[in-house]
Amino acid sequence: MKKRESKKNSYRVWFGMALMFFLLYTLPMILHFKKFNVDFRSCFYTPELFSKNGIIFLRAFVFELPFAVVRWTVNIGMIPLVVICLLGGIICLTRKRINKEKS
């Protein structure tokens, strides 16, 4: 019985996650007019990284990549996550309505 109830209200979880990500990450950047780092290359802080060649470039790039991904995610990457959560909520709500109409 509890599994059915949790499925029934799963759209609330999706919408709640979308609201949480939006309020915590995206809204403060919009309100404070901070610049979004759309360019992924600008998230790499290693000096002259893209002017290096060969294994030196590869080692520096692999080392810096996780940090750059986190910087990008905090900036612009949360917007796709909010959209995915909203879509998940809409899909769950639509399935709920379709199942209700079938019954």
Side-chain angles (χ1 to χ4, degrees):
M1 188 73 174
K2 289 187 179 200
K3 187 175 181 183
R4 177 177 255 179
E5 287 179 18
S6 66
K7 270 188 164 182
K8 187 170 84 173
N9 295 324
S10 61
Y11 68 92
R12 291 182 183 169
V13 173
W14 283 103
F15 287 138
M17 286 189 335
L19 181 65
M20 180 187 70
F21 286 129
F22 180 75
L23 290 176
L24 288 177
Y25 295 104
T26 309
L27 187 63
M29 295 194 93
I30 293 171
L31 292 177
H32 295 296
F33 300 108
K34 288 187 178 179
K35 182 182 177 186
F36 286 112
N37 283 335
V38 179
D39 182 26
F40 190 64
R41 280 184 162 201
S42 66
C43 295
F44 288 90
Y45 289 170
T46 303
E48 300 177 5
L49 174 68
F50 294 102
S51 65
K52 297 177 181 180
N53 292 323
I55 195 75
I56 296 170
F57 166 75
L58 189 61
R59 290 180 70 199
F61 181 78
V62 169
F63 176 77
E64 184 76 22
L65 186 62
F67 304 109
V69 168
V70 170
R71 285 184 205 111
W72 183 79
T73 302
V74 170
N75 287 312
I76 195 79
M78 284 297 160
I79 292 173
L81 187 60
V82 168
V83 171
I84 289 170
C85 289
L86 285 174
L87 288 175
I90 290 169
I91 289 169
C92 288
L93 190 60
T94 306
R95 284 183 181 170
K96 179 183 173 188
R97 288 185 181 170
I98 290 172
N99 289 338
K100 198 174 196 180
E101 289 174 2
K102 285 182 180 179
S103 302

